[in-house]
Amino acid sequence: MKLLQKKTLSVLLLGALIPVLSGCGSNSSNANTNANANAAPEKSNAAATATEAPKETEVKSEPVTISYIGAASQLAVGNIKELIAQWEQKTGNKVDIQAIQDDQYDNLVKAKLSGGGDVDVFFGAYSKYDVPNQLLEISGESFESRLNDVALSSLKYTDGKIYAFPYPSSQGTWGVFYNKTIFSDLGLTVPKTMDDLNKDLAAIKAGGKTPFYFAAKDGWTMLQHHNAVNGILGGADAQVWDKLNKNEVQWKDIPDFVHQYKQVEDWAKKGYFNKDFLTGTYEKQQLSLAKGDVAMVVQGAFFVPEVIKQNADAQIGFFPLPNQDGSETIGLSGGTQIFIAKSSKHPEESKDLLRFLTEQPQAQSALEAAPGISPFKDVDVSAKMPDAVKEVQAFVNTGKIAKHGDDAYVIPMPYDDLVAAYAELLAGKITADQFVQKHQDMYAKNAKIAKIPGF
């Protein structure tokens, strides 16, 4: 998969391993749940005979079948089908689950929406659709108060309204994952600032270990560093993405961004990367950290279970990619969105299904089936996580989180050009300043192609 899928590998792999749904409360299908508890006390036979009006015959709605369309990779992970079966049993309604091949999914859904095809519930992202005209607004649902700030903000469209339910799957996070044994053997502590990190890097190399492993053959793995850097930017300036989207500021004007790539340039000169980085693969990256041949990687949290598979005894820890001043922030993806088509023939039943799936018990079950960073403040599956991911969750719980750049930035990612620029920087073929200029130019080009105002 390319980066857009892999970063969202954050959203596909670890827990991410992709998602499983949720909902909160109940609509028509739940309306009778508490009927007996709320009923008025029975009248005596005597009182009822003279005053009680004839009762109308109760009309029960016929069961409906909801069309539920998902990418095959999404539907293959977790226990979503079991949870949907519970809702079917509860309501008497049916759900027609349609697993579509990933590479065909977007085109099929768009065709159904534009052609009036049969679709009720489906996955996606706001950027793919004509939101007000194709998606059902669902603002005011009770799940809003249960989400962390990043998850909630990601569900708000540009008009301030909400058209998506939260999919109860893990959110993507990025930072530095390190081999605790190496740090312990060399007497190192977790760095808080960039100066601290640079001292650790020098000590690791002097100790005969490779400080950082980058895997350039699988281009998307390099770009996990890009994801970690973007988390720092959002924490340093909450308005940075809005400024970039309006072309009010250029990348070279963001000190934290430039500083991070100055560091990469310096690390390359000092030989802090694995010598085979141009041919390095994702699997080699996992194995190198697991075996203790390398001290650190910059990756998404989805990476950790793969490392543990390589060596069950590996002691892996986490820390945010440091900034100059020691402030700590990590980017957090908003997660996968799940929609109801505005043209749905069963909007109320569809809402009831998604409410059910996002209620706390079902959301807890879904995330336990594919453990990861929870978007819900009342759902924590740390007990099911590897230790390093527990550390990520603990950091998220501090609230030092920012909306991930790929969720906040409206310009399409120039994937191939970005991968190429990263490889050049790591190889020492271009300077940090040249990388930053290339970064500016490639995104500006895509903005013009996409006809984004201001470019």
Side-chain angles (χ1 to χ4, degrees):
M1 292 177 142
K2 302 300 185 195
L3 175 63
L4 285 180
Q5 298 155 320
K6 289 287 186 180
K7 90 174 162 50
T8 277
L9 227 172
S10 53
V11 180
L12 286 174
L13 270 176
L14 172 55
L17 281 166
I18 315 175
V20 192
L21 286 141
S22 287
C24 192
S26 13
N27 231 19
S28 57
S29 62
N30 291 336
N32 295 325
T33 303
N34 298 316
N36 292 336
N38 297 330
E42 289 187 10
K43 299 178 182 179
S44 68
N45 290 339
T49 52
T51 61
E52 196 169 299
K55 293 181 180 179
E56 295 183 6
T57 301
E58 183 179 358
V59 178
K60 293 185 178 181
S61 59
E62 292 295 323
V64 303
T65 298
I66 294 173
S67 170
Y68 183 105
I69 303 176
S73 59
Q74 291 172 318
L75 296 174
V77 176
N79 63 347
I80 184 60
K81 294 179 181 178
E82 290 83 353
L83 293 173
I84 288 176
Q86 292 177 22
W87 182 80
E88 289 178 320
Q89 184 175 12
K90 176 183 177 183
T91 64
N93 295 318
K94 297 296 181 183
V95 179
D96 177 20
I97 301 175
Q98 302 173 37
I100 309 301
Q101 290 185 20
D102 288 36
D103 59 353
Q104 299 176 16
Y105 179 77
D106 286 340
N107 288 337
L108 182 141
V109 171
K110 289 177 181 179
K112 283 182 174 288
L113 291 175
S114 61
D118 182 21
V119 56
D120 296 304
V121 175
F122 60 100
F123 299 89
Y126 284 148
S127 60
K128 298 178 183 293
Y129 308 110
D130 179 359
V131 174
N133 295 316
Q134 292 183 317
L135 308 183
L136 185 70
E137 184 196 348
I138 52 96
S139 301
E141 292 288 332
S142 59
F143 67 71
E144 295 179 27
S145 65
R146 299 170 48 226
L147 297 176
N148 65 44
D149 291 344
V150 169
L152 179 60
S153 67
S154 72
L155 296 181
K156 292 182 178 179
Y157 188 55
T158 54
D159 59 6
K161 299 176 182 179
I162 295 178
Y163 297 83
F165 277 82
Y167 193 59
S169 62
S170 66
Q171 293 178 274
T173 56
W174 296 266
V176 181
F177 293 92
Y178 69 101
N179 187 298
K180 289 186 174 182
T181 302
I182 292 178
F183 268 59
S184 177
D185 289 347
L186 295 175
L188 305 178
T189 58
V190 172
K192 296 293 185 181
T193 68
M194 188 59 77
D195 285 343
D196 293 339
L197 176 59
N198 284 325
K199 291 176 183 177
D200 285 346
L201 291 170
I204 291 166
K205 185 178 181 184
K209 297 289 185 179
T210 299
F212 270 121
Y213 193 106
F214 276 84
K217 185 173 182 180
D218 298 326
W220 67 267
T221 62
M222 284 190 298
L223 302 192
Q224 304 314 302
H225 174 268
H226 190 258
N227 292 334
V229 170
N230 284 350
I232 290 172
L233 306 186
D237 180 3
Q239 304 303 315
V240 68
W241 299 111
D242 188 50
K243 295 173 186 175
L244 286 166
N245 287 335
K246 295 177 181 178
N247 201 23
E248 294 176 351
V249 64
Q250 294 197 341
W251 287 98
K252 65 182 175 60
D253 301 322
I254 304 172
D256 290 318
F257 184 78
V258 176
H259 174 74
Q260 290 292 332
Y261 291 98
K262 292 281 190 182
Q263 295 303 303
V264 174
E265 179 185 1
D266 187 56
W267 297 342
K269 290 178 180 177
K270 292 179 177 178
Y272 288 162
F273 304 139
N274 50 303
K275 293 180 180 179
D276 66 340
F277 77 89
L278 285 174
T279 58
T281 64
Y282 182 50
E283 289 73 20
K284 288 182 180 179
Q285 188 180 53
Q286 299 163 18
L287 185 60
S288 296
L289 188 66
K291 289 173 59 180
D293 294 334
V294 65
M296 291 173 283
V297 302
V298 183
Q299 264 291 1
F302 56 82
F303 175 75
V304 178
E306 305 305 313
V307 175
I308 303 303
K309 288 178 184 178
Q310 299 283 359
N311 178 9
D313 296 324
Q315 300 296 308
I316 308 300
F318 165 82
F319 61 85
L321 183 64
N323 203 4
Q324 300 179 74
D325 60 4
S327 59
E328 295 180 312
T329 309
I330 60 174
L332 197 62
S333 72
T336 303
Q337 300 167 339
I338 184 159
F339 309 117
I340 299 171
K342 195 168 186 178
S343 60
S344 169
K345 297 176 182 176
H346 310 295
E348 293 306 314
E349 289 83 359
S350 296
K351 282 194 285 187
D352 189 64
L353 169 63
L354 299 187
R355 286 173 184 147
F356 173 79
L357 293 171
T358 50
E359 287 173 352
Q360 198 282 335
Q362 287 74 249
Q364 181 81 31
S365 175
L367 279 155
E368 285 182 354
I373 306 305
S374 171
F376 297 94
K377 293 183 288 187
D378 58 359
V379 174
D380 190 321
V381 294
S382 295
K384 303 282 186 179
M385 297 175 179
D387 288 344
V389 187
K390 290 180 182 178
E391 293 178 19
V392 178
Q393 181 68 67
F395 189 88
V396 170
N397 292 345
T398 68
K400 298 177 182 179
I401 55 178
K403 193 172 182 179
H404 183 248
D406 288 351
D407 292 333
Y409 201 22
V410 299
I411 301 176
M413 174 179 284
Y415 175 81
D416 291 335
D417 290 341
L418 188 55
V419 167
Y422 251 90
E424 289 181 306
L425 179 63
L426 292 172
K429 294 182 178 179
I430 60 173
T431 65
D433 289 335
Q434 289 172 321
F435 174 88
V436 171
Q437 187 60 53
K438 282 176 174 282
H439 193 277
Q440 174 65 37
D441 294 343
M442 65 180 72
Y443 273 99
K445 178 181 177 181
N446 273 13
K448 292 175 182 178
I449 293 173
K451 297 181 179 180
I452 294 174
F455 285 88

